[in-house]
Amino acid sequence: MPQTTCPPGTMFTPPSGFSPHLAGTEPGEEEEAPQEGPVPGACMADGPLITSASLETLIQNLVPTADYYPEKPYVFTFLLSARLFIPPPELLSRVCELCIKQQQLDQSPLDAAKVRKFGPKLLQLLKEWTETFPSDFREEKMVGHLEDLIHRIAPCDEAYWKTMNQVLQKLNQKLALMSQGEDSVVRLSLTASSISDKLASFKAKPPPIQKDMLAICNDPYTLAQQLTHVELEHLGHIGPEEFVQAFVQKDPLDTTQPCFSDHKKTSNLEAYVRWFNRLCYLVATEICMPGKKKQRAQVIEFFIDVARECFNIGNFNSLMAIISGMNMSPVSRLKKTWGKAKTAKFFILEHQMDPTGNFYNYRTALRGAAHRSQTANSSRERIVIPFFSLLIKDIYFLNEGCANRLPNGHVNFEKFVELARQVGEFMTWKQVECPFEQDRTILHYLHTAPIFSEDGLYLASYESESPENQVEKDRWKALRSNVLGKT
């Protein structure tokens, strides 16, 4: 059924062998002064799996030196999870302070040979941060920290300024694209919502001139391709940090205010859930709209074929939205219509997305698509679009089932390694470029076609096939009365 958000390249995916080990301070111990490289006992590739460490220890292991650079999986995991404990500007400020102290960047003259070994590693960390979490740098103070660091090391090598300018140029391009994408999503949402209620009385009075999906596109494969375009566009706007920020809440073991107490920076994630709901209602509207049983059956068969093509492509989110729309009560009650449609393929697809066993069949199919993606030779075979609401649910229960901090105050890093694995896999999938040619007419229809509200769906359903019991008769009467009252 329509969903709600849950309550309050390869570098992204930590490899299976990722097992950093950190030695944190015990309760009551004083934090050691910043030192050259990671704290004693740190191991970024082999050794026992990290379970916990103090926040200071984790920050220390993020900071590169002349002879040390953290593993990429560690960088991603920590930058993803650290925002639960410390705002990104404060984290970058702490990183800058450690770099200045460890490399003696506040001394004059600088140790040029030492800085030349350290400089490229620092630039690499800043590059990874800006590329993976560009939204962190919407705050001016973040860019200010970057420029301050480069000012300090640039005297040793002017190439550092050129490199940082390139990093900032790419960052600005990314931020501009993000803003454009978010503005576009808002405009489409406003357009769709402003006309969605106009069809509430569609079947109760002469309809306006209205195109339907089959008049726009009667080829299931083409529609599945265009749905994949929409899905990948939405995925492209979602940053990894939104998965963490969606579940930000007050940490009972933390005396500071939560980093995102005023608002949750999850607009792209929420827009994607709204798209899923819109597709559900669009499918249901298209089925309930035709006046003749034969036409409604034809629309059902068409969307069954679209759903099958979505499955073959690896677009599980559109597949589930279509199935959910066809299973909405106003549609499922149309027994005469369903009796006229060929539904064998629909029941097979329903079986694939059956929630039994925690969506066992779907998860098996998803693993198959993920494996195909890893060994693919073309963009077409690399497409994996997960059932998004289930992904959010998995992350939600991971968050609820494990504390962010342990009783001794240490960060429960083992939890965030698993979180990074799940989010990192998603980040790999979202980078796939859609290989299908865009059809702007179909895309425009998908985004802007009027849809029935829930009451409108029931009214259209009762107009198509009369109520079968007293409850339905009473609801039909109330709905018609409401429509006549508005007209």
Side-chain angles (χ1 to χ4, degrees):
M1 299 300 291
Q3 305 295 316
T4 57
T5 49
C6 289
T10 310
M11 64 167 284
F12 293 109
T13 308
S16 56
F18 173 47
S19 54
H21 164 71
L22 304 178
T25 56
E26 293 301 321
E29 291 183 5
E30 294 184 0
E31 297 286 355
E32 296 182 10
Q35 36 191 311
E36 189 77 8
V39 297
C43 174
M44 296 301 127
D46 302 308
L49 178 68
I50 174 179
T51 56
S52 67
S54 68
L55 183 61
E56 288 298 325
T57 296
L58 295 171
I59 294 174
Q60 178 73 43
N61 280 271
L62 179 70
V63 178
T65 69
D67 303 311
Y68 162 77
Y69 188 81
E71 293 284 337
K72 282 186 177 181
Y74 178 80
V75 174
F76 177 67
T77 301
F78 184 61
L79 291 180
L80 176 69
S81 57
R83 63 198 65 242
L84 290 172
F85 310 98
I86 179 173
E90 187 179 335
L91 173 61
L92 183 54
S93 175
R94 297 271 285 278
V95 169
C96 291
E97 290 172 8
L98 283 170
C99 289
I100 292 168
K101 290 178 182 178
Q102 291 178 355
Q103 306 304 318
Q104 298 179 321
L105 299 181
D106 53 352
Q107 302 295 316
S108 182
L110 293 173
D111 185 340
K114 184 178 180 181
V115 172
R116 286 195 187 99
K117 289 180 67 179
F118 162 74
K121 293 183 174 65
L122 172 63
L123 288 169
Q124 177 61 26
L125 176 65
L126 300 178
K127 183 171 180 286
E128 285 185 41
W129 196 335
T130 57
E131 288 182 348
T132 313
F133 301 94
S135 64
D136 287 352
F137 293 84
R138 282 176 159 165
E139 298 188 42
E140 290 184 9
K141 64 176 71 174
M142 291 287 285
V143 177
H145 289 316
L146 297 184
E147 293 176 340
D148 177 61
L149 269 180
I150 300 308
H151 268 296
R152 293 177 183 274
I153 65 174
C156 295
D157 193 332
E158 287 296 324
Y160 294 155
W161 262 124
K162 182 179 179 181
T163 302
M164 180 48 63
N165 284 333
Q166 292 172 345
V167 169
L168 291 175
Q169 186 177 9
K170 288 183 179 179
L171 173 63
N172 289 330
Q173 290 172 350
K174 279 197 170 189
L175 291 176
L177 287 173
M178 287 168 61
S179 295
Q180 291 172 12
E182 289 166 1
D183 291 344
S184 174
V185 167
V186 169
R187 284 197 304 272
L188 289 171
S189 296
L190 291 174
T191 302
S193 62
S194 67
I195 58 180
S196 61
D197 289 334
K198 293 180 181 179
L199 286 181
S201 59
F202 182 57
K203 304 276 285 217
K205 61 181 181 180
I209 297 173
Q210 169 67 29
K211 288 185 178 180
D212 58 29
M213 178 60 77
L214 286 175
I216 300 295
C217 174
N218 60 8
D219 177 33
Y221 186 52
T222 300
L223 182 55
Q225 290 179 336
Q226 300 311 304
L227 288 171
T228 302
H229 262 294
V230 178
E231 300 284 351
L232 288 173
E233 182 180 4
H234 273 285
L235 293 187
H237 295 321
I238 299 172
E241 70 283 350
E242 293 197 38
F243 292 96
V244 173
Q245 290 159 190
F247 307 123
V248 167
Q249 56 190 354
K250 179 64 179 173
D251 184 345
L253 294 173
D254 193 352
T255 57
T256 62
Q257 290 296 314
C259 302
F260 305 95
S261 56
D262 295 332
H263 63 281
K264 294 178 181 178
K265 301 178 181 179
T266 57
S267 57
N268 296 307
L269 189 152
E270 291 165 0
Y272 193 31
V273 173
R274 286 197 300 273
W275 154 250
F276 180 94
N277 291 341
R278 171 172 172 77
L279 184 53
C280 290
Y281 276 85
L282 179 62
V283 169
T285 298
E286 294 286 334
I287 294 171
C288 291
M289 194 160 46
K292 295 183 179 179
K293 177 173 58 179
K294 182 179 179 180
Q295 293 173 323
R296 293 194 298 274
Q298 185 181 7
V299 176
I300 286 176
E301 291 176 357
F302 173 73
F303 276 113
I304 291 172
D305 288 337
V306 174
R308 184 183 62 175
E309 295 300 341
C310 287
F311 179 85
N312 292 336
I313 288 172
N315 180 358
F316 297 104
N317 201 56
S318 289
L319 165 63
M320 181 56 93
I322 293 171
I323 290 175
S324 298
M326 297 174 80
N327 276 325
M328 291 178 72
S329 296
V331 178
S332 62
R333 66 167 297 277
L334 299 173
K335 294 184 176 60
K336 294 177 183 177
T337 300
W338 281 93
K340 200 166 186 64
K342 298 174 183 176
T343 56
K345 289 180 286 187
F346 178 68
F347 297 130
I348 294 173
L349 293 170
E350 269 195 318
H351 179 69
Q352 285 290 342
M353 305 303 285
D354 188 339
T356 303
N358 193 18
F359 288 89
Y360 176 83
N361 293 336
Y362 158 70
R363 293 182 191 277
T364 301
L366 181 66
R367 284 195 299 272
H371 177 73
R372 179 186 68 183
S373 178
Q374 291 171 355
T375 59
N377 297 315
S378 67
S379 295
R380 163 69 180 78
E381 294 175 321
R382 280 197 288 271
I383 296 172
V384 182
I385 302 173
F387 172 29
F388 193 67
S389 290
L390 185 59
L391 174 63
I392 294 295
K393 180 182 175 183
D394 287 345
I395 293 174
Y396 172 73
F397 282 113
L398 170 63
N399 182 70
E400 288 293 296
C402 304
N404 291 338
R405 288 183 187 266
L406 301 180
N408 64 1
H410 282 191
V411 173
N412 184 3
F413 202 69
E414 186 174 13
K415 165 185 176 176
F416 296 115
V417 169
E418 174 58 22
L419 175 66
R421 184 194 67 77
Q422 293 188 26
V423 175
E425 191 171 38
F426 167 83
M427 294 297 291
T428 301
W429 294 337
K430 84 165 206 165
Q431 292 180 42
V432 174
E433 290 188 15
C434 191
F436 309 123
E437 185 177 347
Q438 285 189 346
D439 187 314
R440 297 198 177 278
T441 302
I442 299 174
L443 291 173
H444 180 75
Y445 186 85
L446 288 171
H447 285 305
T448 63
I451 56 175
F452 286 130
S453 63
E454 185 175 0
D455 283 347
L457 282 174
Y458 272 107
L459 180 57
S461 179
Y462 295 144
E463 294 285 342
S464 296
E465 295 187 18
S466 299
E468 294 185 347
N469 55 54
Q470 193 58 47
V471 173
E472 289 189 343
K473 288 177 182 177
D474 291 343
R475 182 164 192 177
W476 186 25
K477 183 177 179 181
L479 288 172
R480 287 178 65 91
S481 207
N482 187 38
V483 167
L484 290 174
K486 288 181 178 179
T487 58

